[in-house]
Amino acid sequence: MTLILKNIGKEFEQRDIRSPALVSINLEVEEKEFTCVLGPSGCGKTTLLRIIAGLEKPTSGKVIIGGEIVSGPTSRMVMIFQDYSLFPWRTVIDNIAFGLEMKGIGKEERQKKAVHYLDLVGLSGFEENFPYELSGGMRQRVAVARALAIDPSVLLMDEPFGALDAQTRNMLQRQLLEIWDKTKKTVLFVTHSVDEAVFMADRIIVLTSRPGTIKEVVTIDLPRPRDRTSQDFATVRRYVLSLIDEPQSIQ
Amino acid sequence: MQMPPGKPQWWHQILPKSVLIKIALPIIIIISWEVLSVLIDNPFILPSIESVLLVLSEPFADILGSGSLVGNALVSLSRVLIGFIIAAGLAIPLGIGMARNGKVHDFFDATLQVFRPIPPLAWVPLALAWFRIGLLSMVFIIAIGAFFPILLNTLDGVKSIKKTWTEAAHTLGAKERQVLVNVVLPGAAPTIWTGLRVGFGIAWMCVVAAEMMPGTNSGIGYLIITSYNWGQVQVIIAGIIIIGVIGLGIDYLFKIVERKKFMWRELDR
């Protein structure tokens, strides 16, 4: 299912002063593509993702998924948040089954599916634990399983590993790529880490600082799994960094 | 000055210090009570502990033709329960509505703020005028007492729900009503429960006072006021002890549920 962003703009109103956060974003994301949205903090990349998810309305433009205009949250696209946003009163398995339960799927079937996705993220055996009994990395894996369980076409990930330590972060990046490879979902991944974007993405959408607009789209054709210490990786990384660091000339 | 750590005293073997500090004050109160009752030597002012214990030892015995301690306590409890359920039935939906919808909030807020500081017992004369003596006027006062703590905690609980919980639910395909039932209610439940606990405590205080209204003929409050009219101070004290014990017991039940069901609130950080 192709995801198309047409001329997306967003303005926020503060004390009667309209300030633009996003300006004319045009983008087409192919099915099964892994796209990273990279930009400095405050550039509106999270706002962009929330607009795509249908959690916020754009001031102008439209989001189209599979030929349909997005007007609110749709189960074709699921958002994964930085703070995991698991339901703390539900066990791990009931968290994963949440979306299926909302769809009215019977208990037996949703338990079966939930177990499958729990296994996919490598957390078999934690069915009856509560989120507060898990580490941050494990919680985010549960959140990924919960999103996958309703079988969306697109995963929208808002700095999902931003709150984790470097080691866990690297591990989860590798694991997410494996899961992506197995499930063939389209992934739109917001991050402010150049390293993360270069390691994960097919394409990196580099945004300017506020008001955010697309500065450049960098296609990365390094073979996976990528080696962070390789010369090629460093070259791409340096190039993307230069895009971020460049003094901005907006207006 | 620091005392050198010596050998523990022999009584610490029987009563550890941590227990000792907790029971010290009750012991002091009991001893002073007994001493004072002997000194005053007037059971109409301060009866002896034995006379109070005697009343408490026969909780099912009829007192002054007004029924037993337990019987009257049960009457009071049932009144509280009715008023409390009415209060909860109004306050919880209203609190959720106000927390979720700005217009509902603005419509009710100013009016409720005016009524909130009025002590429930200030309504007693009005209740008598409107509903006369009886169950209805007592339930009215109890419900007013329990209403505000439940309402305020519900408001607080719903407002404290993480925005990403409801957003995650929406992106996982939940409809508005499903979000309410599956995210808002369970997410706010611990705080609502606190409101119910506080509300019940106030309701329990209100019933005792409401039962002292002229013309009432049952309930633990009625028993106390009747005992006063008959000069039976030991019954008054026994009644007060029963009120305290029941209040404490119910609060404890609320706390047990809180610990069992809502542990996640403390641990989810």
Side-chain angles (χ1 to χ4, degrees), chain B residues 1 37 62 92 107 115 138 141 144 164 193 214 218-219 249 259:
Chain B
M1 201 179 79
S37 73
D62 183 80
I92 293 174
F107 182 76
F115 280 93
M138 284 187 259
I141 289 159
I144 286 182
T164 53
W193 192 254
S218 61
R259 226 171 289 150

Side-chain angles (χ1 to χ4, degrees), chain B:
Chain B
M1 201 179 79
Q2 194 109 36
M3 293 291 281
K7 229 176 107 188
Q9 300 292 330
W10 63 267
W11 60 77
H12 289 159
Q13 312 253 311
I14 309 161
L15 276 176
K17 261 187 184 164
S18 56
V19 176
L20 201 66
I21 195 158
K22 286 177 187 165
I23 60 168
L25 187 59
I27 289 173
I28 292 169
I29 290 174
I30 288 169
I31 291 173
S32 332
W33 175 3
E34 195 61 8
V35 170
L36 277 173
S37 73
V38 170
L39 287 178
I40 294 170
D41 193 25
N42 183 346
F44 297 112
I45 294 171
L46 190 63
S48 68
I49 291 179
E50 304 91 85
S51 65
V52 173
L53 287 178
L54 196 68
V55 178
L56 285 172
S57 69
E58 293 182 322
F60 296 99
D62 183 80
I63 297 165
L64 308 164
S66 306
S68 66
L69 278 173
V70 169
N72 280 303
L74 286 178
V75 169
S76 302
L77 257 181
S78 64
R79 286 171 181 153
V80 168
L81 220 56
I82 297 170
F84 175 75
I85 288 170
I86 291 173
L90 291 173
I92 293 174
L94 183 63
I96 293 173
M98 286 174 73
R100 300 271 292 164
N101 186 322
K103 281 189 183 127
V104 176
H105 181 270
D106 291 349
F107 182 76
F108 284 106
D109 188 51
T111 314
L112 289 172
Q113 293 297 347
V114 172
F115 280 93
R116 191 163 70 96
I118 302 171
L121 297 183
W123 293 91
V124 166
L126 259 189
L128 287 175
W130 289 346
F131 308 117
R132 317 232 158 242
I133 303 293
L135 184 63
L136 204 54
S137 49
M138 284 187 259
V139 165
F140 175 74
I141 289 159
I142 293 160
I144 286 182
F147 178 80
F148 284 101
I150 302 175
L151 177 76
L152 295 181
N153 279 285
T154 304
L155 255 171
D156 226 38
V158 175
K159 278 189 180 160
S160 71
I161 283 177
K162 272 196 206 161
K163 204 171 145 218
T164 53
W165 286 346
T166 51
E167 287 184 344
H170 274 128
T171 108
L172 289 164
K175 304 274 167 292
E176 200 55 51
R177 200 191 56 82
Q178 288 178 313
V179 173
L180 190 70
V181 175
N182 295 291
V183 180
V184 174
L185 267 182
T191 319
I192 296 177
W193 192 254
T194 305
L196 291 174
R197 197 180 121 209
V198 176
F200 201 99
I202 293 183
W204 185 236
M205 294 179 199
C206 287
V207 73
V208 173
E211 284 167 350
M212 291 184 181
M213 288 192 286
T216 318
N217 56 22
S218 61
I220 197 89
Y222 161 76
L223 186 68
I224 289 177
I225 204 77
T226 306
S227 308
Y228 166 75
N229 292 333
W230 289 91
Q232 302 292 309
V233 180
Q234 75 279 15
V235 180
I236 297 179
I237 294 176
I240 288 174
I241 290 173
I242 292 282
I243 291 167
V245 168
I246 291 176
L248 201 69
I250 288 169
D251 198 63
Y252 183 67
L253 289 181
F254 271 102
K255 273 188 185 162
I256 286 179
V257 174
E258 195 172 297
R259 226 171 289 150
K260 282 210 164 146
K261 291 271 171 199
F262 306 132
M263 214 169 55
W264 60 264
R265 182 169 61 169
E266 304 306 319
L267 298 169
D268 186 63
R269 290 279 174 257

Side-chain angles (χ1 to χ4, degrees), chain A residues 63-76:
Chain A
V63 179
I64 300 164
I65 174 93
E68 279 175 38
I69 295 178
V70 173
S71 58
T74 149
S75 49
R76 288 175 171 181

Side-chain angles (χ1 to χ4, degrees), chain A residues 14-106:
Chain A
Q14 278 179 326
R15 285 178 241 104
D16 293 332
I17 300 167
R18 291 169 152 263
S19 77
L22 290 169
V23 177
S24 57
I25 307 271
N26 286 290
L27 184 67
E28 215 167 295
V29 180
E30 295 300 325
E31 212 171 319
K32 295 167 191 166
E33 194 181 5
F34 199 119
T35 309
C36 277
V37 177
L38 180 71
S41 45
C43 74
K45 52 192 190 300
T46 293
T47 307
L48 180 63
L49 205 67
R50 291 172 58 82
I51 289 171
I52 297 170
L55 292 170
E56 240 168 271
K57 298 243 178 296
T59 313
S60 63
K62 56 195 166 195
V63 179
I64 300 164
I65 174 93
E68 279 175 38
I69 295 178
V70 173
S71 58
T74 149
S75 49
R76 288 175 171 181
M77 300 188 280
V78 180
M79 180 108 159
I80 291 167
F81 301 85
Q82 184 177 0
D83 70 354
Y84 328 127
S85 71
L86 297 177
F87 306 123
W89 56 88
R90 283 179 171 243
T91 57
V92 164
I93 201 77
D94 286 344
N95 260 287
I96 298 175
F98 181 86
L100 301 169
E101 194 180 324
M102 295 305 108
K103 273 190 185 168
I105 289 167

